[in-house]
Amino acid sequence: MPGTYKDIQKRTGLSLSTISKYFNGGHLREENRSAIEKAIRDLDFRVNAFARSLKSRRSGTIGILIPELSSTFNSTIMERVCETLRKHGYGSIVCTCNGRKDAEKSSLSFLLDKMVDGIITIPIDESGTYLKAISDQNVPIVLIDHLATDFKTDAVIVNNREAGRTAAREFLSHGHTSLGILCGPKEMDTMRLRSEGFIETLKGAGGQAFAKYCQLTLQSGYIAAKSLLTPRSNTDTITGIFCTNYELTLGAYIAIQELHKRIPEEISVIGFDNMLLSGILQPSLTMIIQPVEKIADTAAELMLKRLADPENKKIRIAELRTQLLHGSSVAPL
Amino acid sequence: MPGTYKDIQKRTGLSLSTISKYFNGGHLREENRSAIEKAIRDLDFRVNAFARSLKSRRSGTIGILIPELSSTFNSTIMERVCETLRKHGYGSIVCTCNGRKDAEKSSLSFLLDKMVDGIITIPIDESGTYLKAISDQNVPIVLIDHLATDFKTDAVIVNNREAGRTAAREFLSHGHTSLGILCGPKEMDTMRLRSEGFIETLKGAGGQAFAKYCQLTLQSGYIAAKSLLTPRSNTDTITGIFCTNYELTLGAYIAIQELHKRIPEEISVIGFDNMLLSGILQPSLTMIIQPVEKIADTAAELMLKRLADPENKKIRIAELRTQLLHGSSVAPL
DNA sequence: CTGTTAGCGCTTTCAG
DNA sequence: CTGAAAGCGCTAACAG
């Protein structure tokens, strides 16, 4: 039983409203202030958040809903978002939905049951219908990675298609025209855009792409890369591989090493996502870098702003830019 | 404004207590039940968790505090714990503390501010003094990975020292006596035990260990492995490497590939943690496997049991066993 | 600057 | 099986 204002009242003789004022930043006489502080220490007092929330209608808690945590991108985003929110006094209730729409919906409902003040999510359902319904109940939503077709709200996205184009151009400028690409799952919007940008640019320049769709795991990337590098006919030999996320990059890199193909002499590579990885490998990998920290910070910031000013109906969409990090893994052909 | 029992009352003519009973699993007349259900649908009603918590003194929320999320072990544990708790109606408020004691303490305090019903944590501070204080306020604690010296509570641990010994024995039985080990940070209890078990067994058999302490990242593992594999004198050439976690295993594997050392002909390897990884690499890696899912499930289960029966003071410590997965990465010398 | 008081929405006796 | 009423701990008028 952690003590209430009444206990402080007993020890200080002050009224409940004075004590309340102490906790809510009002001015009080110095002696009263210190009397309250003494009582707080003695009681190891903590304001009861339930009662406070009951009045204020705010939980001080944000829901974070993402497909899963096994990809570093997601876990990095999550960790950083939680940290930032925490600095502003908000707790983060985290849910995953295994990339499934039904689980997404039930998780959202669960978060509402937990009375979250807002939701930051990497959405699955493209339409956003259910998110819209939530938003209509005045629970602000911030999207990461994708926009929704039927629901406009604050969001942080990245120029994925352009990232794919950039990678293709980088290959093309070195004379590569026959290229492999590890695409990730077809259903994932982000991955699709990266792949499309890459493939269309390549084709536009008369090149050809050999696409492998796969799960976003090191294992899948490894298998897909091996299969790409094991030519089925003499005609379709690729001279480079574009990996569209971190896990795929790692998997492909390991596959290439095991096949004893030298980078970049025998095979050129452009990876994705992880700056640190680029630096240590030999040769250093050319990579498309996503501003992961920036994405997380922006998402948290959009949410905090929205919470601070709920009346403002202006929708903010931040489109952040990926960046080409030049390494030594693309050789002139 | 999401509606209250009063709104349901207006639509059904029933009293508040009847409505309350509906939501708390009492028996009511069928017609009243369906009247309430209709009102719920019409109103899109949701019980106000604040008011409910104010009475019940339970938030339906568990705090999860871990050092960081960048290691797959931690993020896997976290995801799984959250999922399991969620299935039982509990939300998870997640905090990270960057492996720092001060941040650990302030995060714990933060979680208490958020009125969590319990805390599941991979603790940093070995003593557990602060955790004990929390536990004394009747907030149950479940530890993962380490016990605390000054505080006994429910915990899930793994036989880390034995895991190290097993790895050493596996090498020894193949005739290896001069071995490298990637230890991870000295301060981390789990890593220290793995290393100690390995080193003492090796030395006990007359072998020698070359230990590298490093961060638990692919990058650090890569660098440490490279340095181990670049002999400084002619005498201390190692014939095998033990990697004490997943990221280190990956880093070492990449380093070995880049140095064009063949596994296991030129260098033997025992990895840690990730079963899937073992399967895909060629040759398949011999690994020590932690039962990650089991760890997470057990932790969640201990917490749920404790919450279900707060009077029971019996402390439960689950020591789970790691397992040696035989691959082809250790060759007879 | 401080005190009194009426709720916030729900649960829970206790009557009926 | 249902209803009336008190109260969980805090906040915010309002009055002093």
Side-chain angles (χ1 to χ4, degrees):
Chain A
M1 189 68 176
T4 76
Y5 282 7
K6 279 193 180 161
D7 298 305
I8 297 182
Q9 185 176 38
K10 273 182 208 147
R11 286 163 197 256
T12 59
L14 296 165
S15 80
L16 298 179
S17 81
T18 305
I19 298 165
S20 169
K21 196 175 288 171
Y22 169 85
F23 284 107
N24 294 286
H27 280 233
L28 22 166
R29 202 179 298 162
E30 193 45 43
E31 71 189 87
N32 290 342
R33 174 174 293 277
S34 54
I36 292 177
E37 278 164 359
K38 178 171 185 331
I40 292 172
R41 279 193 304 277
D42 293 351
L43 289 163
D44 198 10
F45 178 84
R46 215 172 268 279
V47 178
N48 183 312
F50 302 144
R52 187 173 259 186
S53 291
L54 183 56
K55 288 288 311 187
S56 68
R57 300 165 178 292
R58 283 164 154 266
S59 62
T61 269
I62 305 294
I64 315 281
L65 175 56
I66 54 186
E68 37 74 34
L69 278 173
S70 60
S71 74
T72 25
F73 178 77
N74 287 356
S75 60
T76 309
I77 294 280
M78 204 218 88
E79 177 165 11
R80 183 123 180 166
V81 166
C82 290
E83 265 178 22
T84 307
L85 292 176
R86 155 110 167 63
K87 278 183 196 135
H88 293 261
Y90 284 93
S92 300
I93 299 189
V94 174
C95 284
T96 52
C97 63
N98 292 309
R100 286 178 13 238
K101 280 190 199 179
D102 58 335
E104 179 184 42
K105 192 167 170 183
S106 71
S107 294
L108 288 169
S109 175
F110 178 75
L111 290 174
L112 291 184
D113 284 340
K114 295 298 171 194
M115 308 292 257
V116 294
D117 294 339
I119 293 175
I120 299 179
T121 183
I122 300 180
I124 303 290
D125 178 48
E126 320 75 31
S127 72
T129 322
Y130 194 58
L131 286 168
K132 179 162 184 356
I134 293 173
S135 171
D136 289 343
Q137 293 168 51
N138 286 313
V139 177
I141 312 263
V142 172
L143 304 179
I144 296 178
D145 256 6
H146 330 272
L147 303 180
T149 55
D150 301 350
F151 166 47
K152 302 302 162 219
T153 187
D154 293 348
V156 188
I157 54 176
V158 147
N159 59 342
N160 281 303
R161 184 182 294 274
E162 184 56 27
R165 287 189 185 132
T166 304
R169 273 187 237 114
E170 177 70 8
F171 275 126
L172 287 167
S173 73
H174 286 74
H176 296 266
T177 51
S178 180
L179 296 164
I181 170 169
L182 304 183
C183 298
K186 273 198 171 109
E187 323 79 66
M188 278 185 69
D189 193 43
T190 39
M191 306 312 286
R192 213 197 58 242
L193 289 171
R194 288 171 203 173
S195 304
E196 282 179 9
F198 183 82
I199 293 170
E200 74 197 19
T201 301
L202 187 57
K203 287 198 175 149
Q208 55 182 338
F210 299 92
K212 278 279 173 192
Y213 295 87
C214 56
Q215 296 300 103
L216 291 186
T217 61
L218 189 156
Q219 288 76 15
S220 299
Y222 171 94
I223 291 164
K226 278 217 165 165
S227 126
L228 270 179
L229 293 168
T230 312
R232 286 124 301 180
S233 80
N234 295 330
T235 52
D236 57 343
T237 319
I238 59 173
T239 60
I241 291 191
F242 176 40
C243 314
T244 56
N245 98 333
Y246 174 67
E247 280 74 20
L248 297 179
T249 304
L250 257 189
Y253 189 81
I254 290 178
I256 291 168
Q257 296 289 348
E258 283 188 6
L259 291 168
H260 298 299
K261 297 240 184 199
R262 278 172 303 146
I263 301 174
E265 292 83 355
E266 295 172 83
I267 183 87
S268 289
V269 175
I270 297 182
F272 217 100
D273 264 348
N274 191 312
M275 192 123 69
L276 292 172
L277 187 64
S278 163
I280 60 155
L281 301 180
Q282 292 186 349
S284 64
L285 278 193
T286 295
M287 290 192 125
I288 305 280
I289 306 296
Q290 283 196 83
V292 202
E293 287 82 8
K294 188 86 192 294
I295 294 172
D297 293 350
T298 308
E301 190 188 312
L302 286 176
M303 178 55 74
L304 290 166
K305 278 200 181 135
R306 184 64 65 190
L307 291 167
D309 180 15
E311 301 315 315
N312 187 340
K313 295 302 176 205
K314 185 155 166 260
I315 286 168
R316 283 162 289 213
I317 294 176
E319 172 157 343
L320 305 181
R321 300 191 62 73
T322 55
Q323 190 191 329
L324 178 66
L325 182 67
H326 285 280
S328 320
S329 61
V330 179
L333 203 60
Chain B
M1 190 68 177
T4 77
Y5 282 7
K6 280 193 182 161
D7 297 308
I8 297 183
Q9 184 176 38
K10 271 182 213 151
R11 287 162 197 254
T12 60
L14 296 165
S15 79
L16 298 179
S17 81
T18 304
I19 297 165
S20 171
K21 197 174 287 170
Y22 170 85
F23 284 107
N24 294 286
H27 280 233
L28 26 163
R29 200 179 299 163
E30 193 45 43
E31 71 188 85
N32 290 341
R33 174 175 294 279
S34 54
I36 292 178
E37 278 163 359
K38 177 171 187 327
I40 291 172
R41 280 194 302 279
D42 291 352
L43 288 163
D44 198 10
F45 179 83
R46 214 171 269 278
V47 179
N48 182 313
F50 301 144
R52 188 173 256 185
S53 292
L54 183 58
K55 291 288 308 187
S56 69
R57 301 168 176 291
R58 282 164 156 266
S59 62
T61 270
I62 305 293
I64 314 281
L65 176 56
I66 53 186
E68 37 75 32
L69 279 173
S70 60
S71 75
T72 25
F73 177 77
N74 288 356
S75 60
T76 310
I77 294 279
M78 204 218 90
E79 177 165 11
R80 185 120 177 168
V81 166
C82 291
E83 265 178 22
T84 307
L85 294 176
R86 156 108 166 65
K87 277 182 197 135
H88 292 261
Y90 285 94
S92 301
I93 299 190
V94 173
C95 285
T96 53
C97 64
N98 292 309
R100 287 175 14 234
K101 279 189 200 180
D102 57 336
E104 179 185 41
K105 193 167 171 183
S106 71
S107 294
L108 288 169
S109 176
F110 177 75
L111 290 174
L112 293 183
D113 284 341
K114 295 298 171 194
M115 308 294 258
V116 294
D117 294 340
I119 293 174
I120 299 179
T121 181
I122 300 180
I124 303 292
D125 178 47
E126 319 77 29
S127 72
T129 322
Y130 194 60
L131 286 168
K132 181 166 185 350
I134 292 172
S135 171
D136 290 343
Q137 293 168 50
N138 288 313
V139 177
I141 312 265
V142 172
L143 303 180
I144 295 178
D145 256 5
H146 331 271
L147 303 181
T149 56
D150 302 349
F151 167 48
K152 302 302 163 216
T153 188
D154 293 348
V156 189
I157 55 177
V158 148
N159 59 344
N160 281 304
R161 185 182 294 275
E162 185 56 27
R165 287 190 185 130
T166 304
R169 273 188 236 113
E170 176 71 8
F171 275 125
L172 286 167
S173 74
H174 285 75
H176 295 266
T177 52
S178 181
L179 296 164
I181 171 171
L182 304 184
C183 297
K186 272 197 170 111
E187 322 78 65
M188 278 184 70
D189 194 42
T190 39
M191 305 312 286
R192 213 197 57 242
L193 289 171
R194 287 171 203 175
S195 304
E196 281 180 8
F198 184 82
I199 294 171
E200 75 198 18
T201 301
L202 187 57
K203 287 198 175 150
Q208 56 184 337
F210 299 92
K212 278 282 171 190
Y213 296 89
C214 56
Q215 297 300 104
L216 290 185
T217 60
L218 189 158
Q219 289 76 16
S220 299
Y222 172 93
I223 292 165
K226 279 220 163 164
S227 126
L228 271 177
L229 293 169
T230 313
R232 286 123 302 183
S233 80
N234 295 330
T235 54
D236 58 341
T237 318
I238 59 174
T239 60
I241 290 192
F242 177 39
C243 313
T244 55
N245 98 333
Y246 174 67
E247 279 74 19
L248 297 179
T249 304
L250 257 191
Y253 189 81
I254 291 178
I256 291 167
Q257 295 290 349
E258 283 189 5
L259 291 168
H260 299 299
K261 298 240 183 199
R262 278 171 304 145
I263 301 174
E265 293 83 355
E266 296 172 83
I267 184 87
S268 289
V269 175
I270 297 181
F272 216 100
D273 264 348
N274 191 313
M275 192 123 70
L276 292 174
L277 187 63
S278 164
I280 60 154
L281 299 181
Q282 292 187 350
S284 64
L285 276 193
T286 294
M287 290 193 126
I288 306 278
I289 306 296
Q290 284 196 84
V292 203
E293 287 82 8
K294 189 87 193 296
I295 295 172
D297 292 349
T298 309
E301 190 188 312
L302 287 176
M303 177 56 73
L304 290 166
K305 279 199 181 138
R306 184 64 66 192
L307 290 168
D309 180 14
E311 301 314 315
N312 187 339
K313 294 303 176 204
K314 185 154 167 261
I315 285 168
R316 284 162 289 212
I317 294 177
E319 172 156 342
L320 306 180
R321 299 190 62 74
T322 56
Q323 189 192 331
L324 179 66
L325 182 69
H326 285 281
S328 320
S329 62
V330 179
L333 203 59

